[in-house]
Amino acid sequence: MSGLAALGVAATFTWLGMVLAISFLEAPLKFRAPDVTLRIGLGIGRLVFRALNVAEAAFAVLVLVAAGFGGLPVPAVALLVAAAVLLVAQLALVRPRLTRRSNAVLAGADVPRSHAHYAYVALESAKVIALLVGGVLTLAG
């Protein structure tokens, strides 16, 4: 495995671990902590997800460079590109709706629950699968 391919594998699994830890562990658990209100949870969540998304974008660039120039297997490349596309969809299509709702809640408005969370979780789940299988195929290739 070339150095660039190894960097791609490391970036893929680090990206995967961050998404699993933040989206599927930290995010739901923070609302179960004592005295964490919806406003506090949203404020924390906005900061955490902004940082996660910046890190994801950096990992996506590393993964795409490795996919393009590291001699990775074609099925792995397709899945890693899909993960990056899913990230772009989350950031461009879903996050703005979630941000508008959290802005309203933080401003004191009583707004209904957002169905955009379901879209975000669906895209996040698909991204996890793409990263996991793409990373494994890269290692196997």
Side-chain angles (χ1 to χ4, degrees):
M1 177 178 294
S2 73
L4 190 54
L7 177 64
V9 170
T12 298
F13 285 110
T14 303
W15 180 6
L16 173 62
M18 291 181 73
V19 169
L20 290 171
I22 299 296
S23 294
F24 295 103
L25 188 61
E26 182 276 336
L29 287 178
K30 85 171 141 260
F31 290 103
R32 292 184 176 185
D35 301 323
V36 173
T37 64
L38 179 60
R39 288 177 53 92
I40 291 170
L42 284 176
I44 293 168
R46 288 168 66 132
L47 291 172
V48 169
F49 274 90
R50 186 176 304 127
L52 173 64
N53 292 150
V54 168
E56 283 189 281
F59 285 122
V61 168
L62 288 173
V63 166
L64 292 176
V65 168
F69 302 105
L72 305 183
V74 173
V77 171
L79 287 164
L80 297 173
V81 168
V85 169
L86 290 165
L87 173 62
V88 169
Q90 286 177 299
L91 297 178
L93 303 175
V94 183
R95 275 293 298 276
R97 291 176 58 196
L98 293 173
T99 299
R100 281 192 298 276
R101 181 183 182 276
S102 66
N103 286 344
V105 171
L106 292 172
D110 185 24
V111 294
R113 291 186 63 90
S114 171
H115 295 313
H117 277 96
Y118 298 124
Y120 195 89
V121 170
L123 291 168
E124 198 79 322
S125 299
K127 186 171 62 183
V128 162
I129 293 167
L131 288 169
L132 178 62
V133 176
V136 169
L137 289 175
T138 299
L139 287 173

